[in-house]
Amino acid sequence: MSQTRKFFGTDGIRGTANLEPVTPETALRLAQALVDDWQRAHPAIPMSVVIGRDTRRSGPMLEAALVAGLTSAGADVILAGVVPTPAVAWLTRQLQADAGIVVSASHNPFADNGIKIFGADGFKLSDDRESALEVALRTALDVRPSGAGVGRLRSSGHPANRYVAALAKVAKGCALGGLSVVLDCANGAASEVGPKLFAKLGCKLTVLAAQPDGININAACGAVHPQRLQQAVRMHGANFGLALDGDADRAIFVDEHGEVVDGDAVLALLALDMASHGTLRGGAVVATVMSNLGLERALSTCQVPLIRTAVGDRYVVEAMRQRGCNLGGEQSGHLVFLDYATTGDGLLAGVLVARLLAQSERPLSELAAVMQPLPQTMINVRVQARQDLQTIAAVRDAMAQAEAGLDNRGRILVRYSGTEPLVRVMVEAERASDVDHWAQHIAAAIRSSIGA
């Protein structure tokens, strides 16, 4: 990563809270830089910014620093409190704010935190805009306002309730009262709004992991740990389960048998339904290089191509906007529906799946069966530092051996995580034995060379 990208990764700034780069000092300077950058283009208009956060203990600390930075530079701030990331994107547009900021580290452990920024249009900032902010935050604010020029804290009146009402409208006219749902809130940002939403929809609801204490976010729960949800769906005989991550922009489903239905399968079942009703725009679905080949095969049954992007929901959204597509997402559960939202939204995904179940009167297992995934595995290897993997002989050789061993009957993808000190090793092939063997082979080479 170049020097101009010291702070921003694939999804904003992220790391251990109170250590660089996720410190109050950096948050304050970033906030001032954001205002300074905006005012260069709008010198006579005060900026307004929406801030939301998840339930991490460090959230209020970083929120306070952002408020100090924004108001010291002359911007007005609207605090949304604990709300999902997509709620901040939605509120930024609804309140006609000039930017939205989320304090969250998504699915990461509670000790981490992060900052991601949305523009006035509700979309995440581009790489170029983030790079410009990085340059700006290294310099002091040139001119500090005083007196009436200092920014204010403003109230918007129960913003989370407005977001819930907007999501509920998506299912308007569809009877969901007969559905039994288990909702895992990951002890995160959706702990309050998630149960409110599904109660408003009339579903019979069982709620898990909705008692945040500042340190239990994502702890053995949520989208990354769906085991408890699987058990609960079987125990309660629910129609489906929905697991969110810490900031609720990700959704992993569990069918009525307690089997996981990942983002690829949800994209497939929704795409085929939308294509049959003529509502799939852009002539394609957008996903990342991580999506299973089974998704491509499922979409091909209705002549819908799959467009692949780099990993990160921001890149998915950029490609969707360029091609005019309205459906895209990631295998990990970031699902983007541009007809309704500007970023991945786990609760919105839940509403759309619930609506389809009610309308089709078919179980989720049957709907998800349109996609038959190839065996695929992912191994995360923690590393000491990032090095170009192609310059490490042992790793380069292991990857070449895997490519030769698969002999065009599968694929490998080895990349650094954009948010954690990890190398992610993905192998996909026709035979599960090949998948496990070659993934372990590459992971072992990485571990022995640069493993932490």
Side-chain angles (χ1 to χ4, degrees):
M1 189 173 292
S2 67
Q3 185 177 1
T4 57
R5 299 287 293 178
K6 173 183 176 183
F7 296 106
F8 285 95
T10 57
D11 196 16
I13 299 172
R14 194 177 299 186
T16 303
N18 218 25
L19 299 178
E20 285 291 356
V22 190
T23 64
E25 293 84 358
T26 297
L28 185 143
R29 294 198 311 273
L30 176 64
Q32 290 177 331
L34 179 66
V35 181
D36 191 47
D37 177 71
W38 190 87
Q39 288 182 339
R40 292 180 192 279
H42 310 85
I45 306 173
M47 187 182 194
S48 63
V49 181
V50 177
I51 300 179
R53 60 181 174 85
D54 66 22
T55 56
R56 294 164 206 269
R57 180 177 292 179
S58 58
M61 172 186 72
L62 294 170
E63 178 188 70
L66 289 166
V67 170
L70 292 167
T71 54
S72 71
D76 291 345
V77 177
I78 302 167
L79 291 181
V82 175
V83 293
T85 286
V88 174
W90 183 84
L91 286 165
T92 299
R93 292 194 302 166
Q94 289 296 309
L95 299 176
Q96 297 184 322
D98 302 303
I101 301 178
V102 178
V103 179
S104 174
S106 190
H107 63 280
N108 286 30
F110 94 94
D112 290 351
N113 216 325
I115 299 169
K116 41 192 167 185
I117 304 173
F118 293 93
D121 56 4
F123 290 97
K124 292 179 181 178
L125 300 187
S126 67
D127 282 341
D128 289 344
R129 184 86 185 279
E130 288 183 345
S131 295
L133 283 177
E134 287 223 7
V135 173
L137 70 83
R138 295 193 184 100
T139 61
L141 188 65
D142 292 334
V143 179
R144 289 181 181 272
S146 59
V150 173
R152 302 165 295 172
L153 277 175
R154 292 165 39 195
S155 172
S156 65
H158 305 294
N161 290 342
R162 298 171 66 172
Y163 169 67
V164 167
L167 289 184
K169 286 182 180 178
V170 174
K172 189 175 181 180
C174 185
L176 303 183
L179 290 179
S180 173
V181 180
V182 181
L183 177 65
D184 182 340
C185 299
N187 290 314
S191 293
E192 182 177 344
V193 299
K196 278 186 178 180
L197 171 62
F198 282 94
K200 192 177 185 70
L201 294 174
C203 298
K204 179 182 176 183
L205 184 64
T206 300
V207 180
L208 306 178
Q211 296 180 315
D213 61 9
I215 64 174
N216 62 358
I217 187 171
N218 298 318
C221 60
V224 183
H225 305 285
Q227 295 83 3
R228 185 180 169 199
L229 176 65
Q230 292 175 275
Q231 294 172 356
V233 168
R234 296 187 188 106
M235 181 188 306
H236 294 281
N239 295 103
F240 73 92
L242 169 61
L244 306 168
D245 65 345
D247 68 337
D249 66 351
R250 180 188 298 198
I252 291 294
F253 290 83
V254 170
D255 70 20
E256 74 281 5
H257 301 304
E259 299 299 322
V260 170
V261 179
D262 67 13
D264 283 348
V266 176
L267 284 176
L269 66 90
L270 288 176
L272 268 59
D273 178 71
M274 292 167 68
S276 70
H277 289 91
T279 58
L280 186 68
R281 291 192 287 106
V285 172
V286 180
T288 77
V289 292
M290 297 301 295
S291 280
N292 194 282
L293 183 60
L295 174 58
E296 286 189 36
R297 293 178 175 179
L299 295 176
S300 69
T301 63
C302 58
Q303 290 75 53
V304 174
L306 179 69
I307 308 301
R308 291 185 184 268
T309 74
V311 174
D313 64 317
R314 178 175 56 174
Y315 302 114
V316 170
V317 172
E318 286 177 358
M320 291 173 69
R321 297 176 75 187
Q322 290 169 1
R323 298 183 62 94
C325 298
N326 60 346
L327 179 63
E330 296 188 280
Q331 183 186 71
S332 61
H334 288 117
L335 301 167
V336 185
F337 312 96
L338 286 187
D339 289 340
Y340 305 104
T342 56
T343 190
D345 191 327
L347 287 172
L348 174 59
V351 174
L352 292 172
V353 168
R355 187 178 71 178
L356 179 56
L357 289 180
Q359 290 174 337
S360 67
E361 298 183 340
R362 297 166 64 193
L364 181 55
S365 62
E366 183 179 326
L367 293 172
V370 298
M371 178 186 147
Q372 296 298 319
L374 269 68
Q376 184 187 82
T377 193
M378 169 86 76
I379 298 177
N380 294 322
V381 182
R382 189 164 293 272
V383 296
Q384 301 175 31
R386 293 174 183 247
Q387 298 181 37
D388 183 350
L389 297 174
Q390 289 297 328
T391 66
I392 304 172
V395 176
R396 186 176 63 246
D397 291 347
M399 292 168 63
Q401 290 162 4
E403 292 279 10
L406 292 175
D407 191 26
N408 295 319
R409 295 190 304 274
R411 64 190 183 106
I412 67 171
L413 181 65
V414 182
R415 67 177 185 89
Y416 283 103
S417 165
T419 60
E420 298 176 85
L422 302 172
V423 175
R424 304 196 192 280
V425 179
M426 188 278 286
V427 178
E428 179 180 277
E430 299 265 346
R431 297 185 303 186
S433 58
D434 287 339
V435 167
D436 294 335
H437 172 73
W438 291 118
Q440 292 291 349
H441 183 67
I442 297 171
I446 296 170
R447 200 173 288 118
S448 64
S449 301
I450 56 173

